[in-house]
Amino acid sequence: MKTRRFIRKLTGIVLLVLLGIGLTAGAFWGVKGYRLYQDSIAEVSIEEKVEEIRGQEHFIDYSELSDFYINAVLSVEDHRFMKHCGIDPVAICRAAWIDITKMSFEEGGSTITQQLAKNLLFTQEKTITRKAAEVFAAFAIEGKYSKEEIFELYVNTIYFGSGYYGIYEAAKGYLGKEPSQLADYEAAVLAGVPNAPSVYSPDVNSELAAQRTDQVLRSMVRNHFLTQEKVDELNVYRRIQG
């Protein structure tokens, strides 16, 4: 009995210590992240960056994107995008667990809003400070712009590989089409590329690009954006197109 009580007490103490360490570390990196965020917007504001992007010659409005492409991107990048406030606690916890178990910093759990924040204000370097800064920037972006505006800014700034930035350059460069002219399967192809452009670019490896597209379609089924029957139709389209 005494041994059991001692173990419970010891476990409680350990959990409290770990909680204290976690809170201290969170506060430390939170302060550093906030300072980085403040330094970034002091150089150029979010509004200025947004206007710069919107002023680009081939900026694509949300209304010019097909529902299929929008759903494909949401499914593989951030399927809770329309519901969260800029960060996704579920995705962050999942990514943190993967990073801890793999002893790496590979998973970020970033939402579309956080990825936009990174593209607007920060470098691509993966650091805890930058990730913390992304959170503050994401909250600011969500407070200033609608979900549709955030989505269109995101797809106009992401890198698609082969020197193509934004959905317009990617659609024209890979497929010779305007974004609004994409067939559903083609939209799925482009939705899968930004996750790892050097790997999934159709110009680099068509087989891996096709495998990634299959992942996109399966994700759309899993997240109820698409039926399996529709996927089967798209796979027929792929075989016909050759």
Side-chain angles (χ1 to χ4, degrees), residues 17-219:
V17 170
L18 291 175
L19 178 62
I21 292 172
L23 291 173
T24 301
F28 174 78
W29 292 113
V31 170
K32 292 194 69 174
Y34 184 72
R35 287 174 178 168
L36 176 59
Y37 163 66
Q38 288 293 325
D39 290 343
S40 297
I41 61 173
E43 291 181 14
V44 55
S45 70
I46 292 172
E47 292 86 350
E48 289 173 310
K49 291 294 293 185
V50 167
E51 289 311 305
E52 179 185 329
I53 293 165
R54 285 176 170 167
Q56 293 173 354
E57 182 180 0
H58 296 297
F59 181 82
I60 299 298
D61 292 329
Y62 187 86
S63 61
E64 298 176 75
L65 302 169
S66 70
D67 288 341
F68 191 97
Y69 176 72
I70 293 169
N71 290 336
V73 173
L74 292 178
S75 186
V76 291
E77 293 292 338
D78 186 1
H79 68 273
R80 284 183 284 270
F81 173 68
M82 292 297 180
K83 299 177 180 178
H84 64 59
C85 59
I87 64 170
D88 185 347
V90 175
I92 290 173
C93 291
R94 183 178 64 247
W97 175 251
I98 293 173
D99 286 342
I100 290 169
T101 54
K102 289 187 176 181
M103 297 298 290
S104 69
F105 194 46
E106 297 176 2
E107 298 290 326
S110 292
T111 63
I112 282 175
T113 313
Q114 286 175 268
Q115 292 181 62
L116 173 62
K118 176 181 65 179
N119 293 339
L120 290 180
L121 300 173
F122 309 113
T123 68
Q124 302 300 307
E125 182 184 6
K126 289 185 177 182
T127 66
I128 298 176
T129 301
R130 196 213 73 200
K131 293 298 294 183
E134 275 180 21
V135 172
F136 292 105
F139 286 148
I141 290 170
E142 290 270 348
K144 297 175 188 292
Y145 303 99
S146 69
K147 291 289 188 179
E148 289 76 14
E149 289 174 315
I150 293 169
F151 188 92
E152 72 180 16
L153 288 165
Y154 169 72
V155 298
N156 276 280
T157 54
I158 49 176
Y159 183 55
F160 284 85
S162 299
Y164 304 134
Y165 283 88
I167 183 60
Y168 178 86
E169 288 188 5
K172 293 292 285 186
Y174 287 128
L175 301 164
K177 296 183 176 183
E178 301 275 342
S180 60
Q181 299 171 329
L182 295 173
D184 288 347
Y185 186 82
E186 294 169 334
V189 171
L190 294 186
V193 174
N195 179 260
S198 62
V199 177
Y200 299 131
S201 164
D203 286 350
V204 173
N205 191 313
S206 59
E207 184 176 340
L208 287 178
Q211 291 177 13
R212 175 59 176 166
T213 305
D214 288 340
Q215 292 177 355
V216 172
L217 296 175
R218 287 197 299 272
S219 176

